[in-house]
Amino acid sequence: MITVRVPASSANLGPGFDCMGLALTIYNYFDVKEYDGLFIEGVDDAYKGEDNLFYKAFQKGIAYRLLKSGKQATAPYGIHIRIRIGVPMSRGLGSSANCIIGGLAAANELYPSIPYHMTEAELFYLGNEMEGHPDNIAPALFGGFTSSMILPNNQPVKMITPVSPKWYFAALVPDVEVPTKEARKALPDTLHRTEAALNVSHALFIQHGIKTADPAILKAAGVDYIHEPYRKKLIPDYETVKELAAKAGCEAFFISGSGSTCLALSLDPQFATRLQSTLVLANLTANWEVYSCEPDISGVTILR
Ligand code: HSE
């Protein structure tokens, strides 16, 4: 049995819609072994079938290895999966990209008799193809603060920006699910040119502010015009929690991916603890849990 560890990720970081993402030290663990058939444990029955995303990615990875090896599938390539969930699901912490990268990584490790093994670029390609955008896939695969673009041949490529160790991160997770599909439907299809230009400049300066731990830059660059104005209405308590976070020392506050989680950055190491106490006492609609975390710099990791 091997264990595949995959980090959570927070996509967008405000203006970096569908292209920027940060891997966080919150993990799902998948204990996997070769098996005659499919057996999944550790999740609700609804996730134990062949449409389980980890399993679908696993099968996609095996099919790709067979294709590149010039081999026909002579036997079913089954798997036994024990899932130990640490990443809240459907909350904007990249749980689908997490399962996809986990399944592809497992497909690359099990069944060593298939000669071909996927490269990182191929894992990135297949993951992006399944997810539809690379912003969570890149940090789940590579770790770190990633910016991605898609080449004309559909191959995604990434750039990693170092994160200043002066930043402290907290994922603020309400007990409310916001399905990504719904959160994407809430967005308008067109954007005014002025706002598009602002978003481009803000995304560039987010990278600078994260690298240099400059709160003034991050504050100015944190304004997004593509998704946050439309999505904040889907998150209960958004304005109140943002205000309370600012009072507790938050320097930047983003909707994590498509929500409902919000990502808060501070220069104060006590920030997350203080904010958790504040949120417990506040009169809020949802129950909010604060996950104090750091950037994960490893990405998907095989533990033996
Ligand atoms: N960039 C994506 C979005 C992340 O904001 O919809 C969620 O998959």
Side-chain angles (χ1 to χ4, degrees), residues 72-278:
Q72 297 285 334
T74 48
Y77 289 85
I79 186 168
H80 184 299
I81 313 164
R82 185 168 64 217
I83 305 178
R84 292 181 278 139
I85 292 187
V87 181
M89 280 159 77
S90 298
R91 305 288 164 82
L93 285 169
S95 54
S96 65
N98 183 293
C99 290
I100 290 170
I101 288 302
L104 289 170
N108 225 13
E109 289 297 320
L110 298 183
Y111 297 103
S113 60
I114 305 173
Y116 190 80
H117 286 84
M118 293 174 277
T119 63
E120 277 192 337
E122 287 168 327
L123 291 166
F124 197 12
Y125 181 92
L126 295 174
N128 179 57
E129 190 175 60
M130 286 188 81
E131 175 88 338
H133 34 88
D135 47 350
N136 289 109
I137 291 288
L141 178 57
F142 301 107
F145 174 27
T146 56
S147 304
S148 304
M149 70 170 176
I150 313 281
L151 300 178
N153 65 358
N154 287 331
Q155 175 65 49
V157 289
K158 58 96 178 58
M159 178 178 80
I160 294 188
T161 305
V163 177
S164 166
K166 290 185 184 158
W167 286 122
Y168 292 89
F169 293 82
L172 318 180
V173 188
D175 59 349
V176 174
E177 289 188 7
V178 174
T180 297
K181 216 168 154 190
E182 298 304 313
R184 289 181 85 82
K185 264 197 228 153
L187 310 184
D189 292 329
T190 54
L191 187 64
H192 195 279
R193 187 172 54 215
T194 315
E195 295 176 341
L198 279 168
N199 250 73
V200 173
S201 63
H202 287 188
L204 288 166
F205 276 84
I206 285 288
Q207 294 180 354
H208 185 62
I210 296 244
K211 191 160 102 180
T212 58
D214 185 329
I217 286 203
L218 220 54
K219 188 168 182 218
V223 182
D224 162 74
Y225 296 94
I226 298 179
H227 66 110
E228 290 206 350
Y230 311 97
R231 284 176 167 170
K232 60 186 182 186
K233 302 165 199 148
L234 306 176
I235 303 172
D237 313 313
Y238 173 86
E239 296 292 356
T240 315
V241 170
K242 189 172 177 178
E243 240 172 70
L244 291 172
K247 281 189 191 147
C250 172
E251 304 284 2
F253 189 91
F254 307 117
I255 296 177
S256 181
S258 55
S260 54
T261 294
C262 296
L263 182 72
L265 277 68
S266 175
L267 295 168
D268 178 351
Q270 300 309 319
F271 161 73
T273 317
R274 190 171 335 118
L275 184 57
Q276 178 72 82
S277 319
T278 308

